[in-house]
Amino acid sequence: MTYLSNIGAYFLMIAEMFRKPTKWSVMKQLILKDIDDLIIGSLGIVSFISFFVGGVVTIQTALNVDSPLIPKYLVGFATRQSIVLEFAPTFMSIIMAGKVGSFITSSIGTMRVTEQIDALEVMGINSLNYLVFPKFIALMLYPFVISIAMFLGILGGMAACVYGGFSSLEDYIVGIQTDFIPFHITYAFIKTIVFAFLLATIPSFHGYYMKGGALEVGKASTTSFVWTSVLIILLNYLLTQMLLS
Amino acid sequence: MIEVKNLQKSFGESHILKGITTSFNKGKTNLIIGQSGSGKTVFLKCLLGLFDYESGSISYDGKIFSQLSEDEKRNLRAEIGMVFQGSALFDSMTIAENVMFPLRMFTKQSKSEMSERVDFVLNRVNLENAHDKMPSEASGGMQKRVAIARAIVNNPKYLFCDEPNSGLDPKTAIVIDNLIQEITEEYQITTVINSHDMNSVMEIGEKIVFLKDGLKAWEGSNKTIFKTDNEVVTDFVYSSNLFKKVRKMYLEENG
């Protein structure tokens, strides 16, 4: 029953988020601040993880297909497919659920605990529009982050492949161009947009509706990470089934 | 003027407000007092429109809140200033930005007009040099004064304060009390303060509403509270020996 009630409250929150818009001059600044916090602030960790995971994917592939019958360019092909289809959109989103999601939950949760949300409501401001809508708009730039993750993942794979001596640069480049299906990029970005929506709204929901004090802010951050991750994994399965099979 | 008629509010089976009728006057500091758990905060949140209530009515200068449209409620809220117990300053903004916030949201003033107004209210609360500080860099008393400045910057008709003195030393508490009273008289605001600080009650309680178990147990002023023989009030207000002595002296002097 609690789950159903929470699902209902979540959809009501989304509807409320679009009502009674905040003055554009104020909203513009909130969006820019959230782009800085959520998008620009994530580029460092995303770049670091993507580059090295790309390298690890390449090494693992190269070590596990060590047969003279398998062409050397397969390493590049497998790395591209892993990075573009799953690693960048899905697993990077789970990492972002930890980084961006817990930031959103704890910042909104702290505002709830310290009555800052009540202060907005007393002033007649739609606090959901003021707090959640800019995050939703900022995270619509999330595909930009994922593009960088894709590029750096493939670049990291190339570095590991060439400098690790698993295949030549030419073979790797042939591999990443082999059997390229443009729809795979579209599929990856459709997933990214859906996950961006989850990343903006689920942590906001857990922060906005939390009750209690500082300890509960921590608990809400953990719960929001768990639920965001679970929903990303579930929707990843559904979207893959719908779009690729 | 704010008029409350037969206000009732429950949370599930628990009846918090059991039918309160009272009024709060313009240009006066009106205090709601009572023990913890008597329903003060719920009453204040009902007055602010943060809680819905089951029955009764609250009217602001004749406008019954529950009968207003959403737009009218929003307009009314723009006329309300609120000082929260923990100040509730936006911690991502400087003190000047906090004070400017209601102006940015509800007025079409130019930046220079807004800055001028912010300077004026910060001067009014004796914080001339605190513009660029973050709330975390300000003391408790300064934060309260910033909260008062933010509450009055848009010339509100109604000012609500929830425990404005909590966590402050006695000297700063008196400064805050006097500031609220001066502002109330100066701008003819209807001020409602939720407090259990007896110093505030004696100093600035031009009207006092005493709540007990969700009911209004007594109503009067800082003048009449010395003379009342209502046991519920005397038990609460004169629970400390100091106040008992003060009351005895007052009654001896004034008969």
Side-chain angles (χ1 to χ4, degrees), chain B residues 29 83-85 87 124-127 139-149 159 161-184 191 193-195 197 199-200 203-204:
Chain B
T29 43
V83 178
F84 284 87
Q85 190 173 358
S87 301
R124 185 66 193 80
V125 297
N126 303 320
L127 286 174
S139 66
M142 276 174 82
Q143 288 187 10
K144 283 278 156 63
R145 281 185 281 162
V146 177
I148 293 170
L159 177 65
C161 308
D162 187 14
E163 308 266 4
N165 292 334
S166 69
L168 299 181
D169 64 84
K171 202 174 171 187
T172 312
I174 289 169
V175 170
I176 297 292
D177 278 345
N178 291 338
L179 183 62
I180 292 172
Q181 191 173 36
E182 282 165 26
I183 285 166
T184 300
T191 297
I193 303 170
N194 190 351
S195 181
D197 178 2
N199 280 324
S200 301
E203 284 283 333
I204 60 166

Side-chain angles (χ1 to χ4, degrees), chain A residues 19-20 22-23 25-26 29 33 110-111 114-125 130, chain B residues 45 48 50 74 77-78 80 82 84-86 88-91 93 101 103-107 150:
Chain A
R19 289 183 61 237
K20 282 204 282 176
T22 303
K23 215 172 160 182
S25 59
V26 177
Q29 288 185 355
K33 187 180 179 305
T110 304
M111 287 186 77
T114 54
E115 296 180 307
Q116 292 175 50
I117 293 179
D118 286 345
L120 290 170
E121 289 289 325
V122 167
M123 288 181 207
I125 295 163
Y130 182 86
Chain B
K45 289 197 170 179
L48 286 163
L50 289 176
R74 209 182 317 161
R77 282 196 170 117
I80 290 175
M82 172 75 194
F84 284 87
Q85 190 173 358
L89 300 178
F90 302 119
D91 41 23
M93 300 179 193
F101 185 78
L103 299 176
R104 286 175 62 210
M105 294 301 288
F106 300 111
T107 69
R150 185 177 69 182

Side-chain angles (χ1 to χ4, degrees), chain A residues 171-193:
Chain A
D171 281 340
Y172 188 84
I173 289 172
V174 169
I176 60 175
Q177 293 173 337
T178 301
D179 288 340
F180 176 68
I181 302 168
F183 181 71
H184 283 178
I185 300 287
T186 311
Y187 155 79
F189 283 125
I190 290 171
K191 289 206 298 189
T192 304
I193 290 284

Side-chain angles (χ1 to χ4, degrees), chain A residues 1-244:
Chain A
M1 200 61 193
T2 313
Y3 286 125
L4 282 177
S5 151
N6 281 341
I7 291 167
Y10 172 72
F11 285 109
L12 286 173
M13 180 198 85
I14 290 166
E16 188 64 25
M17 181 175 91
F18 294 101
R19 289 183 61 237
K20 282 204 282 176
T22 303
K23 215 172 160 182
W24 173 242
S25 59
V26 177
M27 180 56 77
K28 194 171 60 184
Q29 288 185 355
L30 292 172
I31 291 171
L32 290 174
K33 187 180 179 305
D34 280 333
I35 288 174
D36 188 37
D37 286 341
L38 307 178
I39 301 293
I40 310 290
S42 302
L43 289 179
I45 187 77
V46 166
S47 304
F48 176 78
I49 292 174
S50 303
F51 188 82
F52 285 99
V53 170
V56 170
V57 168
T58 299
I59 294 169
Q60 294 280 17
T61 311
L63 291 176
N64 285 288
V65 292
D66 191 17
S67 161
L69 298 174
I70 298 173
K72 288 284 183 192
Y73 68 77
L74 185 83
V75 177
F77 173 78
T79 303
R80 184 201 72 204
Q81 291 295 82
S82 309
I83 299 285
V84 169
L85 293 176
E86 287 308 322
F87 170 73
T90 309
F91 291 97
M92 196 49 75
S93 296
I94 290 172
I95 291 163
M96 290 288 273
K99 190 199 176 285
V100 168
S102 56
F103 170 76
I104 292 174
T105 307
S106 56
S107 58
I108 296 180
T110 304
M111 287 186 77
R112 168 65 73 198
V113 170
T114 54
E115 296 180 307
Q116 292 175 50
I117 293 179
D118 286 345
L120 290 170
E121 289 289 325
V122 167
M123 288 181 207
I125 295 163
N126 177 359
S127 55
L128 280 168
N129 180 268
Y130 182 86
L131 294 172
V132 186
F133 186 73
K135 291 173 177 51
F136 165 72
I137 297 296
L139 279 164
M140 288 301 108
L141 293 179
Y142 184 53
F144 166 70
V145 177
I146 296 305
S147 309
I148 291 174
M150 286 175 182
F151 173 75
L152 287 174
I154 291 171
L155 193 72
M158 188 176 77
C161 187
V162 174
Y163 293 111
F166 298 107
S167 75
S168 66
L169 177 63
E170 290 73 28
D171 281 340
Y172 188 84
I173 289 172
V174 169
I176 60 175
Q177 293 173 337
T178 301
D179 288 340
F180 176 68
I181 302 168
F183 181 71
H184 283 178
I185 300 287
T186 311
Y187 155 79
F189 283 125
I190 290 171
K191 289 206 298 189
T192 304
I193 290 284
V194 172
F195 299 157
F197 182 77
L198 297 179
L199 283 171
T201 53
I202 295 175
S204 297
F205 174 79
H206 283 279
Y208 191 85
Y209 290 105
M210 64 146 295
K211 289 188 176 77
L215 185 65
E216 281 74 18
V217 175
K219 283 182 185 167
S221 297
T222 310
T223 314
S224 98
F225 172 68
V226 170
W227 277 109
T228 312
S229 307
V230 166
L231 280 163
I232 285 172
I233 297 288
L234 273 177
L235 281 174
N236 183 42
Y237 173 77
L238 289 174
L239 287 169
T240 305
Q241 180 74 30
M242 278 162 52
L243 297 171
L244 291 188

